[in-house]
Amino acid sequence: MTLNPAEIGAVLAVHGPVARVLVAQAKGSVPRGAGTSMLVWADGFQGTIGGGALEWQALARAREVLAGGGPRVDRIPLGPALGQCCGGSVTLVTERLEVVPPLPWLRRVEGQAGAPEMRGFAFADGWLQEVATSPARPVWVWGAGHVGAALVGTLAPLPQFDVIWVDTDAARFPAIPQGAERLVAVDPGRAMAHAPGTAEHLILTYSHEVDLALCHAALVRGFTFCGLIGSASKWARFRSRLGALGHSDAEIDRITCPIGDPSLGKHPQAIAIGVAARLLSRTPPGDLPMKDTT
């Protein structure tokens, strides 16, 4: 969770100069960790550093910086003074941005000390360095129906995931939330070949035949997780048909059906909560880092 030039550039293009609030250090129990940031303009903001009194104070300071102040560093205990019981403390660095910063971005934000040796994201001796956002886990959601919309709405804001939302017709998509990318694919099975081999797939289209084609394509392409919406009887039929297509029992067992937590019920939001919990509890191969959350 650190600098995302593309996101900063998009906000600058719409709103002009902004103030950026960054959690440079976090100690103890805090709402968000070091590297979390938010962008603030005169009548709005994007991102969150944890909400509550901390964020409201940060917004006020950010708008002071936006109005012409230089960078400021605030060390804030999250105790009774803020009406919060987290018990930790954060150091916030607030800066005015008029252009997209270079990478890596090394600058002095307080004091007079010379620059120390720094690697990656670091805050030391009044100097702050940020590097490019690391790639997140690719999650491909196949189907833009009610369950697909609930899943994308739940997963897209999470920093762990980059969400690709796929369906056969652009008209099937509702509004695309920030953090998700739409892909229209007339033949979803062929589109599977464009997914990275590390992708996590959630298959829940309007058609059992499309679902089956996607399961087959996923087994051919490779994946780190593949979940299919459906009943026990649907999965029994799919297992038989996937076997007839040449997949071994061990390969077919890699597909999870049903997805989510059946005990939560069949409401789209309940399914989305169960799926999100399952994905969040998984340890991705290679311990992939998270994307930026500005």
Side-chain angles (χ1 to χ4, degrees), residues 141 143-154 165 167 172-174 204-206 229 266-272:
V141 178
H146 294 306
V147 177
L151 275 167
V152 172
T154 301
W165 195 4
D167 208 304
R172 290 180 55 83
F173 289 92
L204 36 111
T205 77
Y206 60 88
I229 196 168
K266 297 182 179 180
H267 192 283
Q269 272 67 37
I271 295 172

Side-chain angles (χ1 to χ4, degrees), residues 232-247:
S233 59
K234 174 182 176 178
W235 183 227
R237 292 195 299 272
F238 272 42
R239 288 189 65 91
S240 176
R241 296 180 68 181
L242 289 170
L245 288 168
H247 301 291

Side-chain angles (χ1 to χ4, degrees), residues 116-249:
E117 289 288 332
M118 306 182 86
R119 297 181 62 184
F121 178 86
F123 178 61
D125 298 334
W127 287 80
L128 178 62
Q129 177 168 277
E130 294 182 79
V131 294
T133 300
S134 298
R137 293 160 55 181
V139 175
W140 288 53
V141 178
W142 302 84
H146 294 306
V147 177
L151 275 167
V152 172
T154 301
L155 296 174
L158 297 174
Q160 290 87 344
F161 306 122
D162 276 332
V163 178
I164 308 298
W165 195 4
V166 192
D167 208 304
T168 57
D169 185 349
R172 290 180 55 83
F173 289 92
I176 310 299
Q178 183 179 343
E181 177 182 345
R182 186 187 72 171
L183 174 62
V184 178
V186 176
D187 186 344
R190 293 182 63 184
M192 179 68 75
H194 297 282
T198 58
E200 296 166 87
H201 297 282
L202 302 170
I203 298 172
L204 36 111
T205 77
Y206 60 88
S207 163
H208 282 200
E209 290 303 314
V210 174
D211 286 354
L212 179 67
L214 285 168
C215 288
H216 171 56
L219 289 170
V220 172
R221 178 71 180 98
F223 53 82
T224 62
F225 177 83
C226 183
L228 170 69
I229 196 168
S231 63
S233 59
K234 174 182 176 178
W235 183 227
R237 292 195 299 272
F238 272 42
R239 288 189 65 91
S240 176
R241 296 180 68 181
L242 289 170
L245 288 168
H247 301 291
S248 69
D249 287 344

Side-chain angles (χ1 to χ4, degrees), residues 30-42:
V30 297
R32 304 297 299 273
T36 305
S37 62
M38 61 191 297
L39 298 174
V40 184
W41 52 94

Side-chain angles (χ1 to χ4, degrees), residues 69-98:
R72 63 179 292 164
V73 178
D74 295 287
R75 293 170 174 83
I76 305 168
L78 303 180
L82 283 180
Q84 297 185 226
C85 56
C86 296
S89 64
V90 296
T91 299
L92 302 182
V93 173
T94 307
E95 301 166 279
R96 176 185 167 95
L97 298 182
E98 297 183 2

